Amino acid sequence: MSKVIRIGTRESQLAVWQATTVKELLQKNGYETTIEFIKSEGDTDLKTPLYEIGVQGIFTRALDIALLTGNIDIAVHSMKDVPTLMAKGIIQSAVLQRASYNDLLVPKNDSSFSDERTTPSVIATSSIRRKAQWLNRYPDDTIENLRGNVNTRLRKVQESNWHGAIFAAAGLERIGLRPANAIELEWMLPAPAQGAIIVVCREEDTYAFEACRHFHDEDTTLCTGIERDFLRALLGGCSTPIGALARIETGQVVFEGNILSKDGKQKKEVSCRTAISEAGNLGSEAAAELLVNGGKEILDEIRTVK
């Protein structure tokens, strides 16, 4: 049976780029497609910090509904925006090969920003993870809220009195907007699954599922799965400063994870490595180790403050 696969996406430039990439991959494998635009809560409320509106799912709910009601056949998301427990009736059909997982500092002026600064800076981000990690490294700095799509946020950097703002490298690079003066924050642990794109479909839709398997990447699936297991085991959402990164190196999976207090003053870290064949439970095991070694106290404090 042949049919047109309707691809659901948000309307931001980055979301459209991601959907168009999936469209091209499907067409390359002989499938007919159309793109359907769906508005999300994350696109309509551009003032409230993401960590205050409980970001888990705010960029995916509208697309979930469109999927479950049959208005679209697949949805394309930045994987870090997808809750670790997906809506009932929706399954992962493909994970694309991962792009850069790093965060970037985009300075307002030049790239002379360094650890040897003599005066505090004002940095913008809406991510509680980025805020906590930044304040852990630069405790005298001030963090301002920054919302909007990529283009809006880049414009705000130039219009504001901030010294710079933090962005995901993949988001800027995919749509050709990475500034020449951007600085790689290699010390900052990314959000679980940052830089990865996921395609989801209805559980019973075998046609859409099989169509997407042509471009499914197993290595990215393994690494992002470990990171999301780590997040799930810590019961963390985007209101919890949790970083995680799994990488494959010479037949092994190398994992790093952390949790911080919201003010960045406390940080607990975990790192481990294991053979790929034994990495199935690496994320949850790393989370258990972190909780025993001080992570639970930080997590309890965050929940109490809420």
Side-chain angles (χ1 to χ4, degrees):
M1 181 184 74
S2 177
K3 64 177 183 178
V4 176
I5 297 175
R6 297 164 298 169
I7 305 167
T9 180
R10 296 161 52 210
E11 295 177 311
S12 73
Q13 185 180 0
L14 178 57
V16 172
W17 183 93
Q18 293 178 166
T20 302
T21 297
V22 170
K23 176 184 175 72
E24 291 169 352
L25 288 168
L26 285 167
Q27 289 176 336
K28 181 181 176 182
N29 286 285
Y31 295 92
E32 289 187 67
T33 64
T34 61
I35 291 181
E36 306 290 335
F37 298 102
I38 311 289
K39 276 201 179 295
S40 76
E41 295 168 69
D43 296 314
T44 53
D45 179 357
L46 298 178
K47 293 184 178 179
T48 311
L50 290 177
Y51 49 86
E52 288 184 12
I53 39 181
V55 73
Q56 281 278 34
I58 100 169
F59 290 123
T60 60
R61 269 196 291 265
L63 286 163
D64 286 348
I65 293 168
L67 256 182
L68 293 170
T69 55
N71 292 323
I72 58 175
D73 301 304
I74 62 174
V76 184
H77 302 292
S78 293
M79 199 174 186
K80 69 174 182 178
D81 293 335
V82 177
T84 56
L85 184 62
M86 284 193 274
K88 187 177 180 182
I90 294 176
I91 59 170
Q92 173 180 296
S93 51
V95 176
L96 278 63
Q97 185 174 12
R98 194 178 207 169
S100 171
Y101 46 72
N102 281 336
D103 288 302
L104 297 174
L105 174 70
V106 176
K108 181 175 181 178
N109 297 312
D110 57 44
S111 56
S112 61
F113 192 98
S114 70
D115 288 332
E116 288 76 40
R117 290 176 293 136
T118 55
T119 57
S121 294
V122 179
I123 303 298
T125 177
S126 66
S127 162
I128 192 68
R129 171 191 59 84
R130 290 170 178 152
K131 176 181 179 180
Q133 290 195 51
W134 189 272
L135 288 175
N136 179 262
R137 190 177 182 94
Y138 304 110
D140 296 327
D141 283 3
T142 300
I143 304 295
E144 296 285 346
N145 183 50
L146 175 62
R147 289 291 311 279
N149 61 38
V150 171
N151 306 71
T152 300
R153 285 181 283 145
L154 284 170
R155 189 184 72 246
K156 285 181 178 179
V157 174
Q158 295 308 312
E159 294 174 350
S160 71
N161 61 351
W162 306 326
H163 293 90
I166 307 172
F167 294 78
L172 294 179
E173 291 166 359
R174 281 172 174 147
I175 55 178
L177 290 179
R178 174 173 171 155
N181 65 341
I183 302 167
E184 293 265 352
L185 302 177
E186 295 180 354
W187 54 266
M188 183 174 281
L189 214 52
Q194 184 160 301
I197 296 170
I198 184 173
V199 185
V200 298
C201 66
R202 286 184 299 279
E203 196 169 7
E204 73 278 5
D205 191 345
T206 54
Y207 184 82
F209 179 84
E210 292 299 333
C212 296
R213 301 306 283 179
H214 292 286
F215 47 85
H216 179 65
D217 187 81
E218 289 292 350
D219 286 353
T220 301
T221 301
L222 173 63
C223 290
T224 55
I226 290 168
E227 294 162 18
R228 284 163 63 80
D229 284 348
F230 179 77
L231 179 66
R232 185 188 301 113
L234 293 175
L235 300 176
C238 286
S239 58
T240 311
I242 292 171
L245 177 63
R247 293 171 290 116
I248 294 176
E249 292 182 0
T250 59
Q252 291 191 313
V253 178
V254 179
F255 178 80
E256 299 172 82
N258 66 21
I259 184 170
L260 294 91
S261 58
K262 288 188 176 183
D263 60 9
K265 291 180 180 178
Q266 300 177 65
K267 178 170 76 169
K268 294 297 179 181
E269 302 170 287
V270 62
S271 61
C272 47
R273 66 169 59 220
T274 188
I276 291 175
S277 59
E278 298 174 1
N281 296 318
L282 187 59
S284 52
E285 290 169 356
E289 181 180 332
L290 185 71
L291 287 170
V292 168
N293 293 321
K296 185 177 184 300
E297 287 75 12
I298 294 177
L299 205 52
D300 289 344
E301 180 183 312
I302 292 170
R303 289 170 179 160
T304 302
V305 171
K306 285 181 185 176

